[in-house]
């Protein structure tokens, strides 16, 4: 197997300067470098850069893929939006790690599954029957298009959605980086209905969907918002912004003009979400605070195995039903065909002899098909003995045609 490695880095919050691009170019003459991206593929040799250092200095996201199964994803966030303390309960050394540098938090998802890619026809959170492993991953075996589908995870995290963090912990459970006796972190709502980026994260890291289903059993549904609710939230956001101190709004405007619009937008959304939570009805607050009993990693793995067995059983039952239906349809068609052949049964033996006399392999096969029809017609009349006698006589007349006799033996003695 030839070697293949794919590296992609993306700058989201600010573009790379001309000097920074020149520095990156010194690491590779073949890479595609723009103010927002660095992409390179290797069929031999190795990457000369340092992904961790590059994430601390230049980029907000990085994806690595190798054809022997290794897949890494790095995401960088301002610590003002997400810090190490907030994610510490979800970390799993060797699977999901994080560190702070230069006022940024870097999240590292590490997958070392060598069993091939996850079946990308799976739809996490919407009935995951008939799911398995498949070598053909969506997004291309070369990794192109993968990172773009994952970038919105940063926005989701900035807005307080911790499902990507929980998926990181599940990755650690799946890869054996979490002790089976360790309890799970707080279970976020909506694990049974992941966003597109979160489902792509699970697919890219090859987290078993049965494990996600097991975790989702204790995950409350997320609050849905229709168009009316969305308009109410927009009006509420404007009213909330209008009620903030002038110095806060001026500070956000100044930072936006200095190129921090992404960070400012995330801070505003996060602040409004916190305000919205504070205004929720007391019944919703009580339900939201009623956290289910924490399960251990081992319990989730055992539940994953149970769900996998149930899914396979359902798949086997479905396959059996479909086969029975196909067999019934084939039997009906066969019966109609034999009804037609019965009207011309005397002619069939004549055609068998004509095919045999041709000495052509294709005509021999046609003769065998007709003989099978004659046998089945005899069975319908409970007259198999008469057919066997006539077949024996036909065999004796074809002693000089061993190829035809071999076909007859294969068809009637199998």
């Amino acid at each position: 197997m030839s070697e293949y490695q794919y590296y992609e880095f993306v700058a989201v919050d600010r573009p790379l300067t001309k000097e920074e691009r020149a520095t990156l170019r010194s690491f590779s003459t073949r890479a595609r470098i723009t103010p927002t991206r660095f992409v390179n593929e290797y069929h031999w040799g190795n990457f000369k850069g340092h992904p961790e250092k590059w994430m601390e200095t230049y980029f907000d996201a990085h994806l690595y893929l190798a054809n022997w199964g290794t897949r890494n994803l790095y995401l960088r966030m301002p610590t003002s939006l997400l810090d190490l303390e907030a994610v510490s309960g979800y970390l799993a050394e060797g699977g999901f790690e994080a560190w702070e540098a230069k006022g940024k938090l870097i999240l590292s998802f590490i997958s070392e599954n060598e069993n091939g890619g996850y079946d990308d026809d799976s739809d996490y959170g919407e009935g995951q029957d008939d799911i398995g492993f498949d070598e053909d991953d969506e997004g291309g075996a070369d990794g192109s298009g993968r990172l773009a589908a994952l970038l919105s995870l940063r926005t989701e995290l900035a807005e307080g959605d911790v499902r990507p963090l929980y998926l990181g912990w599940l990755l650690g459970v799946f890869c054996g980086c979490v002790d089976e006796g360790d309890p799970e972190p707080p279970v976020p709502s909506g694990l049974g209905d992941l966003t597109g980026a979160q489902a792509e994260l699970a697919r890219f890291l090859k987290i078993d969907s049965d494990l996600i289903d097991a975790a989702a059993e204790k995950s409350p549904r997320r609050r849905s918002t229709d168009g009316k609710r969305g308009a109410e939230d927009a009006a509420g956001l404007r009213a909330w912004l209008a009620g903030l101190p002038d110095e806060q709004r001026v500070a956000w405007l100044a930072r936006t003009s200095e190129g921090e619009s992404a960070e400012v937008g995330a801070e505003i959304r996060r602040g409004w979400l916190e305000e919205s939570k504070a205004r929720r009805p007391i019944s919703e607050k009580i339900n939201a605070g009623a956290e289910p009993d924490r399960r251990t990693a081992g319990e989730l793995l055992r539940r994953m195995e149970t769900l996998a067995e149930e899914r396979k059983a359902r798949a086997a039952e479905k396959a059996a039903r479909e086969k029975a239906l196909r067999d019934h349809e084939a039997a009906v068609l066969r019966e109609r065909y034999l009804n037609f052949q019965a009207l011309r049964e005397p002619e069939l033996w004549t055609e068998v002899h004509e095919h045999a006399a041709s000495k052509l392999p294709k005509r021999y096969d046609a003769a065998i098909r007709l003989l099978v029809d004659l046998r089945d017609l005899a069975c319908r009349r409970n007259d198999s003995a008469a057919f066997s006698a006539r077949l024996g006589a036909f065999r004796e007349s074809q002693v000089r045609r061993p190829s035809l006799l071999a076909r007859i033996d294969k068809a009637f003695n199998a």
Side-chain angles (χ1 to χ4, degrees):
M1 179 176 64
S2 61
E3 178 180 298
Y4 178 81
Q5 298 181 79
Y6 178 86
Y7 290 84
E8 182 175 0
F9 297 84
V10 172
V12 179
D13 292 344
R14 70 165 185 87
L16 300 169
T17 66
K18 183 177 181 180
E19 292 75 17
E20 288 172 332
R21 297 200 300 275
T23 299
L24 297 177
R25 176 59 69 191
S26 68
F27 288 91
S28 173
T29 58
R30 296 173 47 251
R32 301 190 295 278
I33 303 176
T34 72
T36 59
R37 297 178 76 227
F38 176 104
V39 180
N40 206 357
E41 299 169 295
Y42 294 85
H43 296 274
W44 61 86
N46 289 297
F47 179 60
K48 296 181 175 60
H50 305 281
E52 293 82 4
K53 297 298 182 183
W54 284 22
M55 286 298 299
E56 293 176 2
T57 306
Y58 304 113
F59 295 104
D60 300 300
H62 164 55
L63 180 144
Y64 169 77
L65 179 151
N67 64 345
W68 54 80
T70 300
R71 296 180 174 196
N72 295 346
L73 174 70
Y74 290 166
L75 297 175
R76 187 176 72 169
M77 308 277 297
T79 53
S80 60
L81 300 178
L82 191 66
D83 59 25
L84 190 57
E85 181 180 359
V87 305
S88 59
Y90 296 92
L91 302 180
E93 184 175 356
F96 178 43
E97 301 176 351
W99 72 94
E100 290 184 359
K102 303 177 183 178
K104 307 286 185 178
L105 175 72
I106 296 93
L107 303 175
S108 171
F109 300 84
I110 308 163
S111 175
E112 297 285 354
N113 191 326
E114 298 180 359
N115 295 324
Y118 204 84
D119 178 359
D120 288 286
D121 292 331
S122 61
D123 195 356
Y124 289 88
E126 296 186 7
Q128 298 170 45
D129 291 348
D130 307 322
I131 295 176
F133 286 96
D134 191 329
E135 292 288 350
D136 299 323
D137 278 354
E138 180 182 341
D142 62 355
S144 59
R146 287 281 190 183
L147 189 52
L150 295 165
L151 286 178
S152 60
L153 292 171
R154 298 176 68 250
T155 300
E156 294 170 0
L157 288 165
E159 294 179 348
D161 189 342
V162 298
R163 282 178 290 178
L165 303 181
Y166 190 93
L167 289 174
W169 182 79
L170 279 186
L171 171 63
V173 173
F174 189 52
C175 72
C177 300
V178 176
D179 187 89
E180 290 196 10
D182 288 349
E184 65 183 331
V187 183
S189 61
L191 281 178
D193 187 20
L194 301 178
T195 67
Q198 292 163 8
E200 177 60 22
L201 176 66
R203 283 190 288 262
F204 176 71
L205 298 173
K206 297 176 282 190
I207 305 172
D208 195 293
S209 66
D210 292 313
L211 181 59
I212 297 176
D213 281 347
E217 290 179 336
K218 294 292 183 71
S219 174
R221 293 182 61 86
R222 292 181 75 84
R223 298 172 64 213
S224 60
T225 57
D226 55 19
K228 180 180 178 181
R229 181 65 186 176
E232 292 174 353
D233 285 347
L237 171 60
R238 288 192 293 270
W240 176 71
L241 286 172
L244 292 176
D246 289 342
E247 55 268 24
Q248 177 64 75
R249 294 197 299 271
V250 170
W252 277 337
L253 286 172
R255 288 173 57 196
T256 300
S257 67
E258 294 169 0
E260 297 185 33
S261 58
E263 294 182 16
V264 169
E267 288 180 19
I268 292 174
R269 288 191 296 271
R270 191 179 186 92
W272 169 237
L273 284 173
E274 292 298 326
E275 175 69 13
S276 298
K277 289 178 182 178
R279 295 182 179 183
R280 283 164 61 184
I282 186 65
S283 59
E284 291 188 18
K285 293 180 184 179
I286 292 174
N287 292 334
E291 185 177 331
D293 294 335
R294 301 279 183 89
R295 298 157 294 183
T296 66
E299 288 173 335
L300 285 171
L301 288 171
R302 288 187 289 274
R303 181 58 180 159
M304 174 192 74
E305 294 171 355
T306 299
L307 291 177
E309 291 173 0
E310 293 174 354
R311 172 175 52 78
K312 291 175 182 177
R314 290 194 299 273
E317 291 174 1
K318 179 181 178 182
R321 289 194 302 270
E322 292 175 348
K323 182 179 184 302
L325 178 61
R326 290 194 301 271
D327 290 346
H328 173 72
E329 292 174 346
V332 170
L333 291 175
R334 178 67 178 167
E335 189 68 15
R336 292 175 181 173
Y337 171 75
L338 289 176
N339 288 339
F340 170 75
Q341 292 291 71
L343 299 176
R344 49 189 298 271
E345 187 170 354
E347 302 173 19
L348 298 183
W349 281 108
T350 301
E351 292 179 14
V352 167
H353 283 277
E354 290 175 351
H355 287 312
S358 71
K359 300 181 181 181
L360 297 174
K362 289 185 177 180
R363 299 284 296 277
Y364 284 173
D365 291 337
I368 297 302
R369 288 193 293 271
L370 291 176
L371 286 172
V372 170
D373 292 345
L374 288 163
R375 179 199 63 188
D376 292 348
L377 288 171
C379 287
R380 292 204 315 181
R381 296 192 309 271
N382 294 320
D383 197 12
S384 297
F387 170 77
S388 296
R390 193 161 184 178
L391 178 63
F394 176 73
R395 283 179 56 88
E396 292 178 2
S397 69
Q398 305 298 324
V399 292
R400 295 185 179 182
R401 298 188 175 97
S403 177
L404 174 60
L405 294 178
R407 284 171 164 80
I408 293 174
D409 290 338
K410 183 177 180 180
F412 292 93
N413 298 324

